[in-house]
Every structure is written in C-alpha cells, then in structure tokens.
Amino acid sequence: MSSTNGQYSQTRWSLNALLSSPEGLAVDQAIAELETATTAIEAMRPTLSPEMSGEDFVKVLKAVESFAEMAHRLGSYGPLWFSEDTQNQAALAFMGRMEQLLTEAQNRTLFFSLWWKGLANEAAERLLAYAGDMRYKLEQDRLFKDHTLAESEEKVINLKDINGISAMVTLYDMITSKFVFELEVEGEKKELTRDQLMTYVRDPSPELRAAAYQEQFRVYGREATVLAQIYTHRVRDWATENLNLRHFASPIAVRNLANDVPDAVVDTLLDVCAEQAPIFHRYFKLKAGWLGLPSAKLRRYDLYAPLTQESSKKIAYDDAVAMVLDSFNEFSPAVAKEAQRVFDDGHIDAEIRPGKRGGAFCAGILPGVSPWVLLNYTGEPRQVATLAHEMGHAIHALLAANHSILTFHSALPLAETASVFSEMLLTDRLLAEESDPNVRRDLLVDAIDDAYATILRQAYFVLFERDAHRLVAEGKTMDELNQHYLNQLNQQFGEAVEVSEDFQREWICIPHIYHTPFYCYAYSFGQLLALSLYQQYKEDGESFKPKLLKILAYGGAASPHHILSEAGIDMADPNFWRSGFKVIEGMIDELNE
Ligand SMILES: [Zn+2]
C-alpha cells in the first residue's frame, strides 16, 4: 500500500466552486444570471413552431442549459450548506428562498417542455437531429407526453406543492430529526441521534441490539399516528395527481417511467428478489449457528450482529483514503486520478462535527466539477467501504463530465453501478491482503449483510409500497398497514428469522417511502447489476474494463436499456438478476468453509 504521509485529513469541504458566498454580490450575480437565462427563454417563445429551423432550436437548447446550470448552482448550495450544519438558520432560510425563486423561474420557462412534449412525432424527429448530447433528455421528456397537463395546471401544481405535499414531507423530516433516543450502554444512560442509535444494532451484545431497535420503535411509536397520517396524505396526493389527473396506469408506473425502465422489468426484478430470498434464509440460519445464540434462531434484532466479539480495529482516515485510492489505481490509474481530484479540490467533508447531517452521500452537480462527498468518518472498517462507495459515485460523475448538465447525471437504476463496484474492488483487495481468518470472515459478513440490506430489504420496501398505495386507497387504517407490513416481513424472512411484533411499524421509520415513493428498487437494481458486472470482471479481467468505463461514461445520456444492452445485458431476463444472487451465494459458500 502506498503511504500518503498524513496527506489527507478530515476537514470541512469548500462550496466555492458552486457560489463563492451564500450572500452579497455572489448570490445577486447568480440570481441575475438565472433571470437573464429565464428572459432569454421567454423571448424565444414566439420562435417555437414545428417548422422552426434547427439553428433556432439549438439556441433554445443553449438557453435551457444555461438556465439549468444557474438553477443547479443556486438550488444545490442550500442543501449542501444545510447538511454541514442542520441547526444553521441561515442555511435553512437560504434554501427556502431559493426553492421559491427557482419554482417561479421554472414556471416561467415551463412552456418550452410542454411545447416539446406536445409536438407531433415527425417534427420532433427532425429537430432531435440537432439536439446533440441533449437528445436522450428530450426523448425522455416526450415519454411523459400523455401524462402532461395544460401549462396553467402544471404551474398551479408546482406552486401548490411547495407549501403542500413537499411541505408535508419536510414536516416529517422535522418531526423525526428532533427525536432523541435513550439507551443504556454499559451502565451509562446515553442520549443519541438515530444514526448513533443504529450503530448499536451491530453491537456484539444481543441485549443491546434488541434495546436499540426497541428504543427506535418506542420513540417513533409515540408519533406513529401523526407520521402514518403524513404517509396517507403522501399516498393520496400521489394517486390524485398521477392516477386521476395524469392517467398513469399504477402508482409505481410513475417512478418506472421516470427511470425509463419498463414496468415488466421492474416486476421481474421484484419477483426474482422474492424468489431468491431463500439464499439469505440459508445465510441467516448459518449466522445463527456461528453466533451461538441461545434462541438457536436468529432474531430480527440480530440481523447485523458481528461475528467477532471484540470491537474491531480502527483505521485512520489517511490510511482509509490510501486504501481506496490504491484499489482504484489497481483497476485503472485514470480512474484513481479522477478520484484524487475530489481530495485536491477540497470537496470532501469527512470531519465529525455536532449538528452535521448523519450518514454519507455524494452530490455530483455540474459536469466537470468535482462532486461533493459527505462522510462522518469514525474509523470503523466498514466506513472504509463507505468511502469507497461514495468515491465510486464521484468517479461516475467525473467520467461523464463531457455531457450536458442535463444528461450527465446517470438514471437512478444505474446510479449505484460505480459505487457498489468500488466497494467490491476494495473488499477483494482487503481479502487478498488479509491472512487473519477472523478479519477475512468479518469482511465477508459485512459484504453479505450489506447485500441483504441493499437488495432484499429494499425490494421488500417497494413490495410493501405497492400494497400500501392500494390499501390507503381502500381506506385502510394505520393498524391494518402495520399488520400488512408484519405479514410481509414474515414472508421475507420465512422460517429463518424470528420477527417480533414491534417491527410492524418499521415502515414509518423509512424516509424514502415518504420522500420519493418506489425509489428503493433502484438499490436492488444497482447492487445486483454491479455484482454481476463484478463477476464478469473476475472472469474476463482486463478486457472487461473498457466495458465498465463505457457504461459509466454514458452518465445519463442514453436509456438504461440502451446502455446495458450495449454491454450485453438483458434486464428483462430473470436469469440476469439471478446471476447477481449467484455471486452472493458464492460469498456465503466461502464463508461457510
Ligand atoms: Zn450509493
């Protein structure tokens, strides 16, 4: 491993590449530029016609791109600033101001996309020839042709959403992020955030693991009726807008079209996940044996239990960065160089600070500008994997840098390809270097636990959502939703895991089903895709590399179907999804030996 000589330290990031300051001249200028772009688009309205010249069409597209760039700068600054410090009133106020300002600007330019969607096929085809890199984005817009309303109606929906359903979801966040959890650890009563509480579900002590979950459900349970009511409104609003007004065939079809993945493919993915659940059942049974639990059967509380009793060794941040960059370098020096840029540009915030948002994420905002990566690095070995994961996202964005701002973001189902692949590269490297059987075992257990949490768990969230949207429409109560959730957990775990009743209200603790309905299958999709790509890499070696780099370099400039079929992948084929599960089966076999 190359030494970095303490070159990397956990510092705050710099947002200067977005805006040099959130106040004063910098913001005024950016707002003025947004206004210029908005007025330019408005001024072109009379030129829009099915007969317009390709040259005029390109002019509109350029203005739309400039508008998007300013909207991204102004719209992303607030959330990033807020995640640095969630108690920051100025960040919150900035975010609110920008949301209002951007919605109004978007409404003024809405006519372009409505005109474009309404254009006859022949005229659209002619103009698409001039679209260059924006072609797929424009094609994708037209997929929504039959689900689009009149301009005045679209405007009202946008304006009412800010203080309507979006505000409702913000209230969910505000209520739940104020929760304080209490847990007695080694005789000491602690007050914890949810992130901190959830670290105890991986504690060696079975009592502590159970207590952590029970505390989560106790605290959420106190507000369960309010939180379930917010969910009911989310679901009803989804149905009113998307089924009644926009005529989508089903609630999930909205997400599928946005992802540009056919309904049948998503059904196949979810079916294969349910069908392959026994692979994890076998793992959970083995794990119960290795843990030597008194209950003989794994309790749901024990799902993420570590096999090693003593707390694992800590890895210094500097070493973690070196390990991740090394594993990239081994795959491709060019990829490692891209990753290096994120550090050189100071776009990573890995420091632990009070008030900072929990978890980790990567935000690629402008093509060619290093993405921003947030981490809460405390040194547990699994956080090295998190670093690899987020840096994978960063590489994905950087490899797609030569696309338009409107096409460089990869579609959701492909968004986890580089991140999961990077984790696999790191795990394999660590396995290759590690001779201690206990550490090797921990590495594999972590990888399989993560695969469970990303694939099966997320697929079952979506299976629940599919039913929940129907049950809410039928007027079912919270208790009935709880019962349904518990029944599905029992299906998911079969005979392998004992699920206690308190898990019935787990669904109200899942922010994604409130924020972005049916989002979660993108995780199952992404992880299974990345696993089978990794399998191909192991089989084909060097010749595989250009294939992966090509997938990543597309960003979002072509449909998932196009990008994957070029790589020889048929996402409609259940056997493709099964091949991802085979990789997990292989890891379980290895562990069992
Ligand atoms: Zn990710």
Side-chain angles (χ1 to χ4, degrees), residues 389-390 393 415-416 419 523:
H389 181 102
E390 301 308 335
H393 281 302
E416 296 296 333
S419 55
Y523 289 119

Side-chain angles (χ1 to χ4, degrees), residues 201-205 209 283-293 298 302-312 382 437-449 587-588 590-592:
V201 309
R202 299 175 192 278
D203 196 89
S205 152
R209 293 195 295 265
Y283 170 66
F284 294 139
K285 283 180 189 158
L286 287 168
K287 193 167 180 179
W290 296 325
L291 286 167
L293 292 173
L298 203 68
D302 304 316
L303 222 56
Y304 305 113
L307 295 189
T308 326
Q309 287 307 300
E310 70 269 26
S311 57
S312 49
R382 57 181 308 106
N438 283 332
V439 180
R440 291 176 57 86
R441 199 178 60 166
D442 284 352
L443 281 166
L444 280 168
V445 166
D446 274 353
I448 301 167
D449 284 350
M587 291 196 275
I588 298 170
E590 197 179 336
L591 198 53
N592 198 24

Side-chain angles (χ1 to χ4, degrees), residues 518-535:
F518 307 104
Y519 179 97
C520 293
Y521 73 73
Y523 289 119
S524 322
F525 191 117
Q527 176 105 11
L528 287 169
L529 169 65
L531 286 175
S532 49
L533 286 172
Y534 199 76
Q535 187 60 30

Side-chain angles (χ1 to χ4, degrees), residues 393-407:
H393 281 302
I395 287 166
H396 198 165
L398 286 168
L399 288 175
N402 53 359
H403 293 295
S404 155
I405 183 152
L406 293 160
T407 52

Side-chain angles (χ1 to χ4, degrees), residues 227-235 464-465 468-469 507 513-514:
L227 299 178
Q229 189 61 26
I230 294 177
Y231 185 68
T232 303
H233 288 302
R234 161 47 104 190
V235 169
F464 171 72
E465 283 183 282
H469 279 246
W507 63 275
I513 69 173
Y514 287 80

